[in-house]
Amino acid sequence: MKSGLMFVKLVNPCSGEGTIYLFDLCLQQLFEIKVFKEKHHSWFIDQSVQSGGLLHFATPMDPLFLLLHYLRKADKEGKFQPLDQVVLDDTFPNCILLLRLPDLEKLLQHVTEEKNPEVDKKKYYKYSKEKTIKWLGKKVQQTVSALKTNNVNVSARVQATAFFSGDPFSSDKEEDYVCYAHGLISDYIPKELSDDLAKYLKLPEPSVPLPSPPSKKVKVSDEPIEAKEDYTKFNRKDLKTEKLDLLTGHFVVAAQRQKRGK
């Protein structure tokens, strides 16, 4: 707090659950916290070795993603409301810090309809789905540009794992970039909004995964299985004894040879 930094728990715009964010009171900026963790990892700090490979990244985040959560929630009432009555949360009371961020009114123009009555000179806002989808579409295009600029490979074979820097002559298609960027943006919005954005971007429907093969332990049929060879000799009652002889046979043979030698 002395340096103006404050860790706060705010609502996650994708899951709706609580997530830790970093708020810079001096810069009036919001940061998301990402944790990089490896099982076996250490860091050199000055002249010492610090065990534990945790590395926390504080990345600037657009606060509009968090505000969307409250705007969409307030939209159920279907009326224009002042922002201080929209951004309220008993579970995460620190959400009011979002109202202190600069250029907030300019940001809200991307996702809301606005009214400014002359009576009280106070602005009222109402969530606009149409504006929001267009704004998210621009976010996707900005992400695509960033991926291309940094030569990030987003081919189909790595989309399900992690991206890595490839050469500038990658054969990735434009659709691959858009799909991948859509996936990144979807980490900051609820699934319903993510689906609407996919339709707006005219992305193909996700392929249906192939059914997994049945486990070998699963009984697939009550009918006897036909064998090409005769295995009936293993169905005798002394099967257990016979298996034991097979396992210990080399000891028996060794003992017989030793006896004959004597």
Side-chain angles (χ1 to χ4, degrees):
M1 288 296 294
K2 292 181 179 179
S3 60
L5 297 176
M6 180 180 180
F7 286 96
V8 295
K9 180 175 283 190
L10 302 173
V11 64
N12 186 300
C14 179
S15 66
E17 300 177 353
T19 302
I20 297 297
Y21 295 89
L22 179 63
F23 201 95
D24 192 323
L25 300 174
C26 297
L27 297 176
Q28 292 186 316
Q29 194 169 13
L30 179 71
F31 296 84
E32 68 171 330
I33 305 298
K34 293 291 185 181
V35 180
F36 174 80
K37 181 179 181 181
E38 286 189 349
K39 189 174 182 180
H40 304 290
H41 206 101
S42 299
W43 300 102
F44 288 103
I45 301 177
D46 296 328
Q47 299 300 318
S48 64
V49 178
Q50 177 66 47
S51 62
L54 283 179
L55 182 62
H56 294 75
F57 290 91
T59 310
M61 179 177 179
D62 193 332
L64 200 50
F65 284 111
L66 273 72
L67 289 170
L68 268 177
H69 170 80
Y70 296 102
L71 290 167
R72 295 178 74 247
K73 186 177 179 180
D75 188 53
K76 296 178 181 178
E77 299 181 18
K79 60 183 181 180
F80 287 83
Q81 299 183 62
L83 200 58
D84 56 1
Q85 293 184 19
V86 173
V87 186
L88 290 174
D89 198 328
D90 294 333
T91 307
F92 309 107
N94 283 318
C95 66
I96 59 175
L97 292 173
L98 297 171
L99 302 180
R100 298 175 55 178
L101 296 172
D103 301 323
L104 198 59
E105 293 183 358
K106 188 182 294 185
L107 290 174
L108 290 170
Q109 293 177 0
H110 297 297
V111 296
T112 64
E113 300 290 346
E114 182 183 314
K115 277 188 178 181
N116 190 8
E118 298 180 357
V119 180
D120 55 3
K121 296 182 179 180
K122 195 173 184 178
K123 291 187 177 181
Y124 293 78
Y125 300 92
K126 186 177 183 298
Y127 170 71
S128 172
K129 182 177 178 179
E130 182 180 357
K131 281 188 173 183
T132 300
I133 294 298
K134 289 182 179 180
W135 172 71
L136 290 173
K138 291 180 181 179
K139 285 284 188 183
V140 169
Q141 293 304 323
Q142 290 172 354
T143 305
V144 168
S145 298
L147 291 170
K148 290 181 178 180
T149 300
N150 291 278
N151 301 324
V152 177
N153 188 315
V154 296
S155 58
R157 64 182 180 275
V158 298
Q159 287 186 27
T161 54
F163 61 85
F164 59 91
S165 297
D167 58 74
F169 304 103
S170 174
S171 60
D172 294 327
K173 300 178 181 179
E174 183 69 19
E175 186 179 89
D176 293 334
Y177 279 107
V178 176
C179 287
Y180 194 76
H182 169 264
L184 294 176
I185 297 299
S186 294
D187 288 340
Y188 300 91
I189 55 178
K191 186 180 185 305
E192 179 185 350
L193 206 52
S194 174
D195 294 340
D196 291 336
L197 178 60
K199 293 178 182 178
Y200 174 78
L201 297 170
K202 298 180 180 179
L203 296 179
E205 292 290 335
S207 57
V208 180
L210 294 175
S212 302
S215 172
K216 292 182 179 179
K217 295 182 180 180
V218 178
K219 188 176 182 181
V220 295
S221 175
D222 291 327
E223 297 296 326
I225 300 175
E226 295 184 1
K228 294 182 179 180
E229 299 181 26
D230 183 12
Y231 292 99
T232 56
K233 60 183 178 179
F234 294 108
N235 293 333
R236 295 195 300 271
K237 292 183 179 180
D238 58 343
L239 175 61
K240 184 175 180 180
T241 305
E242 191 168 309
K243 285 184 177 179
L244 181 61
D245 291 340
L246 289 174
L247 291 173
T248 59
H250 62 288
F251 295 111
V252 175
V253 172
Q256 291 176 347
R257 288 178 178 174
Q258 187 177 7
K259 186 177 181 180
R260 286 198 299 268
K262 287 182 178 180

